Amino acid sequence: MRFNDQIVWVTGASSGIGEALAYAFSREGAKLILSGRREAELERVKAACATAPENILVLPLDLVQFDSLPEKAKQAAARFGRVDVLVNNGGISQRSLVAETKLEVDLAVMNTNYFGTIALTKAVLPQMLARRSGHIVVISSLMGYLDTPLRSAYAASKHALHGYFDCLRSEVWEQNVKVTLVCPGYISTDISLNALTADGSKYAQMDANQAKGLSAEACAMQTLNAIATGKEEVIIGGKEVLAVYAKRFLPRLYSRVVRKIKL
Ligand SMILES: NC(=O)c1ccc[n+]([C@@H]2O[C@H](COP(=O)([O-])OP(=O)(O)OC[C@H]3O[C@@H](n4cnc5c(N)ncnc54)[C@H](OP(=O)(O)O)[C@@H]3O)[C@@H](O)[C@H]2O)c1
């Protein structure tokens, strides 16, 4: 029960990694705030959590409605008095070539993954600084380190999170606010089904890599371990995580291999 009576806010809690995080935190005694756009799915997740229903707030939000997020943070604080852990997990991916991708798609990915995440963080941070206690968690990706064809906006959004939240960590450590970046590889979720294509429509196909990836439950458990032990960064996945080291230590070889990727 490492998170007993901790107030944990998970975005993207309506499916995939966020849903698994909700269950994992609830098994460890946390009180939960569950966010995402699909209220009915959030209610489904709430009903399946181990936490008593009165200790779970379903708080629907759209990360790209930046102006609404301070009010959402007020509602969260009004219900539980504070937020101990904010898990910025909500996000979307992309499957399209730069040359074919509408700028609107780049904006949608950046607005959701990057600007939505920092907007919600800014809404929650002041009360953590005032209490001199809190933990900001960001679900990034191996694509926060790597590059492949067909993931330009997604990789850009995740790289941007690393720059931003590494800076934040260096600013808030004296006020006892921790920052953890979580970098999963292939996790078996609906991410590819929900990914945007060049014209903004959904890709709507399950990628083979995701289908045979690590389970969302295993990813969630490793994420909780990283949060509980105050890790600054954690990489989670199968053998694809070796690509991070290939990119760093054998960059030319990495480039030659990666340009052959077709999906
Ligand atoms: N699966 C992987 O292989 C993998 C690998 C590395 C990183 N990740 C990251 O893990 C996170 C979760 O993805 P997933 O794999 O669990 O995929 P998923 O099943 O598609 O879940 C994405 C979640 O994000 C929420 N979301 C999307 N747009 C939103 C918006 N505008 N406002 C609020 N919530 C929004 C969705 O909820 P609603 O639709 O209800 O809004 C959903 O709960 C993402 O940040 C993703 O980049 C995934």
Side-chain angles (χ1 to χ4, degrees), residues 11-37:
T11 68
S14 52
S15 67
I17 296 170
E19 177 176 353
L21 284 168
Y23 299 146
F25 277 116
S26 77
R27 283 194 301 270
E28 299 231 21
K31 297 177 180 172
L32 292 168
I33 302 158
L34 303 179
S35 289
R37 290 164 299 181

Side-chain angles (χ1 to χ4, degrees), residues 157-177:
S157 70
K158 297 297 187 179
H159 275 67
L161 289 171
H162 284 244
Y164 191 93
F165 282 92
D166 282 344
C167 290
L168 176 64
R169 185 188 299 112
S170 70
E171 291 179 9
V172 296
W173 68 276
E174 274 187 307
Q175 287 107 317
N176 194 33
V177 176

Side-chain angles (χ1 to χ4, degrees), residues 11-19 35-39 41-42 61-65 88-93 111-113 139-143 154 158 161 182-195 202 209-210 216:
T11 68
S14 52
S15 67
I17 296 170
E19 177 176 353
S35 289
R37 290 164 299 181
R38 290 169 296 162
E39 189 168 1
E41 290 303 303
L42 295 170
L61 59 78
D62 187 338
L63 284 166
V64 305
Q65 302 293 323
N88 290 296
N89 165 77
I92 48 170
S93 192
N111 282 343
T112 307
N113 295 359
I139 308 298
S140 174
S141 167
L142 285 194
M143 293 307 292
Y154 183 69
K158 297 297 187 179
L161 289 171
V182 180
C183 305
Y186 298 128
I187 311 298
S188 184
T189 71
D190 288 349
I191 187 111
S192 67
L193 297 169
N194 295 324
K202 282 194 179 181
N209 285 326
Q210 255 74 39

